[in-house]
């Protein structure tokens, strides 16, 4: 394919239409056209590229685009075109080749991308069709995150209403979305009801929800503490508000449970069932990552969903940049300033934070590294990012060798 004539196209995508600029291998303009977004428009775009360029194979057409995902990318890859993505900040620098005034329009952007791909392909990232399981896992992972955020919003509103008239209930459970606490509020919605309810009723409720850390006597003692004095109508208003919140919290609880079950199912589907060699079983990426301290369901799903390509390449540098653990160094003359990387994937950065946070609780080496960094004056966040950087390095090494994490070996090295 390298001996064949190449054609270069830039696609400036938008919500309603996409501007396409096509050049040959020498940079001469072949055509330019706008296509409406939709099944018919995208099919017409792919057909126009092949017909206008005169390429004998779709692989001769190199397409540049800013967004590395979506129907435009998927349509072009499915037709056999070579699609390359570029960071929008790099795109701004290439635009300076055409205008220094900062002018920007769809036609110029499409031309800039086509020209930059022809001359500086190394600055682009070649895209490939994603694994269907990874696509589904990414969507469920994002849905689970949205549901968790919605649950927090609802429980915070419930906490505010309980604080108004029934603060005793807040002492029983930190997680106000817990099913047993929702059942308890429905049984005891007001301090007046708490004064009349029997211990046997509370005991049955705790038994039904399998709650053993507290007993009915303790629950009744907390609920029957002297209530706060409120204005007439406050209890009724707050109770009505909580009733609507509880119905929504229960719905979110069910959907969140379904999302977590789906994450487990999809993650398991990424593990091949057959052995690669007779008599030998090579550890898969999912099993290797799951063995690391601090990696749970959410962190594992986020890593696989948002950084699958970099994990497949074992690209440690790319993973450090994507997750935000790689600092940015600004050096000029004798000055050297190291700052936090802001241009990173927010979901991956959040996953790395929780990975490191849990790791220092369960892994002795991570805990010692964190303590050493804190003693040197590093902030909590910076120390956690350094711990996450080490864990990412360990993960890449394990992925390359195909071995799982062995805590006993880590303890032996620590004692030596």
């Amino acid at each position: 394919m390298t001996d064949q004539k190449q054609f270069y196209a830039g696609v400036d995508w938008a919500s309603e239409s996409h501007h396409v600029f096509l050049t040959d291998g020498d940079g001469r303009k072949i055509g330019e056209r706008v296509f409406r977004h939709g099944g018919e428009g995208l099919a017409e775009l792919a057909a126009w590229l092949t017909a206008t360029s005169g390429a004998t194979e779709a692989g001769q057409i190199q397409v540049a685009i800013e967004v590395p995902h979506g129907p435009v990318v998927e349509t072009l890859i499915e037709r056999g075109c070579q699609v390359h993505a570029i960071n929008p900040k790099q795109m701004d620098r290439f635009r300076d080749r055409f205008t220094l005034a900062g002018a920007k329009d769809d036609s110029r952007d499409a031309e800039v991308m086509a020209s930059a791909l022809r001359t500086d392909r190394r600055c682009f990232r070649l895209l490939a069709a994603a694994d269907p399981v990874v696509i589904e896992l990414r969507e469920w992972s994002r849905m689970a995150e949205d549901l968790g955020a919605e649950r927090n919003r609802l429980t915070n509103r419930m906490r505010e209403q309980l604080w108004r008239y029934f603060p005793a209930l807040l002492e029983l459970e930190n997680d106000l979305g817990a099913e047993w606490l929702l059942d308890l509020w429905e049984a005891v919605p007001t301090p007046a009801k708490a004064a009349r309810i029997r211990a046997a009723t509370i005991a049955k409720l705790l038994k039904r929800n399998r709650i053993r850390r507290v007993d009915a006597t303790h629950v009744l003692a907390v609920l029957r503490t002297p209530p706060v004095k409120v204005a007439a109508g406050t209890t009724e208003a707050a109770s009505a508000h909580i009733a609507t919140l509880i119905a929504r919290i229960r719905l979110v609880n069910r959907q969140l449970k379904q999302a977590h079950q789906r994450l487990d199912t999809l993650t398991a589907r990424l593990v091949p069932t057959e052995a690669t060699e007779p008599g030998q079983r090579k550890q898969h990426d999912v099993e290797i990552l799951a063995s690391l301290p601090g990696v749970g369901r959410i962190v594992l799903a986020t890593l696989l969903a948002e950084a699958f390509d970099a994990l497949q390449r074992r690209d440690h540098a790319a993973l450090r940049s994507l997750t935000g653990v790689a600092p940015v160094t600004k050096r000029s003359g004798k000055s050297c300033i190291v700052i936090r990387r802001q241009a990173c994937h927010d979901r991956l950065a959040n996953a790395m934070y929780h990975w490191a946070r849990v790791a220092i609780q369960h892994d002795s080496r991570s805990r010692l590294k964190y303590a050493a960094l804190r003693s040197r004056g590093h902030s909590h966040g910076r120390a956690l990012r350094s711990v996450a950087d080490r864990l990412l390095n360990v993960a890449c090494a394990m992925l390359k060798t195909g071995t799982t994490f062995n805590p006993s070996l880590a303890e032996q090295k620590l004692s030596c």
Side-chain angles (χ1 to χ4, degrees):
M1 185 181 294
T2 56
D3 297 333
Q4 294 178 326
K5 188 174 181 181
Q6 300 292 304
F7 301 91
Y8 301 89
V11 179
D12 185 79
W13 68 279
S15 58
E16 296 183 358
S17 61
H18 312 291
H19 203 110
V20 184
F21 191 96
L22 180 65
T23 69
D24 60 13
D26 297 323
R28 290 188 295 266
K29 177 180 176 180
I30 299 177
E32 183 177 4
R33 189 172 168 185
V34 178
F35 298 89
R36 291 193 61 81
H37 182 74
E40 183 179 354
L42 295 181
E44 188 178 358
L45 185 157
W48 179 83
L49 286 174
T50 304
T52 305
S53 65
T56 56
E57 297 180 5
Q60 295 176 250
I61 304 175
Q62 311 290 328
V63 182
I65 193 169
E66 285 184 291
V67 180
H69 52 78
V72 179
V73 173
E74 293 163 4
T75 298
L76 294 173
I77 291 179
E78 190 271 336
R79 295 298 181 94
C81 297
Q82 301 291 309
V83 184
H84 306 258
I86 186 172
N87 188 283
K89 296 190 75 173
Q90 285 181 296
M91 174 64 182
D92 286 340
R93 305 301 181 267
F94 283 121
R95 191 182 293 116
D96 292 340
R97 292 178 176 181
F98 289 78
T99 174
L100 295 177
K104 183 182 184 303
D105 58 62
D106 296 345
S107 176
R108 180 179 285 109
D109 284 356
E111 182 180 3
V112 168
M113 281 188 283
S115 174
L117 180 60
R118 184 179 65 86
T119 59
D120 297 271
R121 191 184 300 185
R122 67 185 182 280
C123 297
F124 290 75
R125 177 165 58 95
L126 180 63
L127 303 177
D131 188 321
V133 179
V134 174
I135 294 176
E136 193 174 356
L137 178 66
R138 183 182 301 121
E139 198 64 33
W140 276 104
S141 176
R142 294 175 179 178
M143 288 165 55
E145 183 177 1
D146 290 341
L147 288 169
E150 178 65 17
R151 187 178 187 272
N152 287 339
R153 285 191 291 268
L154 292 172
T155 53
N156 285 339
R157 292 172 61 183
M158 180 177 172
R159 186 184 308 276
E160 182 182 355
Q161 296 300 322
L162 287 173
W163 180 85
R164 292 176 63 189
Y165 82 103
F166 202 1
L169 201 64
L170 300 175
E171 300 179 14
L172 293 173
E173 177 69 68
N174 292 326
D175 180 16
L176 295 186
E179 289 293 334
W180 81 273
L181 194 71
L182 302 182
D183 290 344
L184 180 62
W185 183 89
E186 290 178 339
V188 190
T190 64
K193 181 67 175 178
R196 300 192 303 270
I197 196 168
R198 297 186 305 167
T201 304
I202 301 295
K204 290 180 182 178
L205 185 150
L206 296 176
K207 182 178 181 181
R208 184 170 67 250
N209 288 276
R210 300 180 181 180
I211 302 299
R212 298 182 178 87
R213 63 180 180 274
V214 293
D215 55 20
T217 304
H218 173 73
V219 172
L220 276 180
V222 172
L223 294 178
R224 288 175 178 174
T225 55
V228 296
K229 300 296 182 180
V230 296
T234 300
T235 299
E236 291 77 6
S239 299
H241 193 165
I242 291 177
T244 63
L245 292 174
I246 284 181
R248 294 155 66 184
I249 292 173
R250 288 191 186 278
L251 174 61
V252 172
N253 282 345
R254 290 195 299 270
Q255 292 177 334
L256 192 57
K257 182 179 180 181
Q258 179 188 6
H260 288 166
Q261 292 174 345
R262 192 59 182 165
L263 288 179
D264 293 337
T265 301
L266 293 170
T267 302
R269 284 173 57 185
L270 289 173
V271 181
T273 55
E274 68 279 358
T276 55
E277 298 180 12
Q280 296 183 356
R281 183 176 182 273
K282 185 178 180 181
Q283 299 293 346
H284 193 263
D285 293 5
V286 175
E287 298 169 315
I288 293 171
L289 292 173
S291 69
L292 284 160
V295 175
R297 173 197 290 130
I298 302 300
V299 171
L300 178 61
T302 304
L303 288 172
L304 293 171
E306 306 295 350
F308 188 77
D309 292 339
L311 288 171
Q312 291 292 100
R313 301 193 307 267
R314 282 39 172 162
D315 193 339
H316 182 224
L319 286 170
R320 294 182 77 218
S321 298
L322 281 171
T323 56
V325 299
V328 177
T329 302
K330 295 184 177 182
R331 189 186 299 273
S332 178
K334 295 183 179 180
S335 68
C336 180
I337 303 175
V338 181
I339 61 175
R340 179 184 177 184
R341 179 179 294 273
Q342 300 294 338
C344 61
H345 196 294
D346 291 339
R347 297 194 68 236
L348 286 173
N350 191 43
M352 293 303 296
Y353 170 84
H354 291 291
W355 182 2
R357 179 183 60 80
V358 178
I360 63 176
Q361 300 174 14
H362 299 89
D363 178 41
S364 56
R365 292 182 70 92
S366 298
R367 184 162 52 251
L368 287 176
K369 182 175 178 63
Y370 174 80
L373 291 169
R374 291 287 283 165
S375 66
R376 284 155 51 185
H378 289 201
S379 65
H380 172 69
R382 184 177 177 184
L384 281 182
R385 286 193 297 274
S386 297
V387 172
D389 195 4
R390 173 190 168 272
L391 291 170
L392 204 57
N393 190 20
V394 172
C396 287
M398 290 167 49
L399 289 170
K400 290 177 181 178
T401 58
T403 56
T404 56
F405 182 79
N406 190 340
S408 60
L409 293 178
E411 293 295 338
Q412 291 176 10
K413 292 180 180 179
L414 191 64
S415 61
C416 292

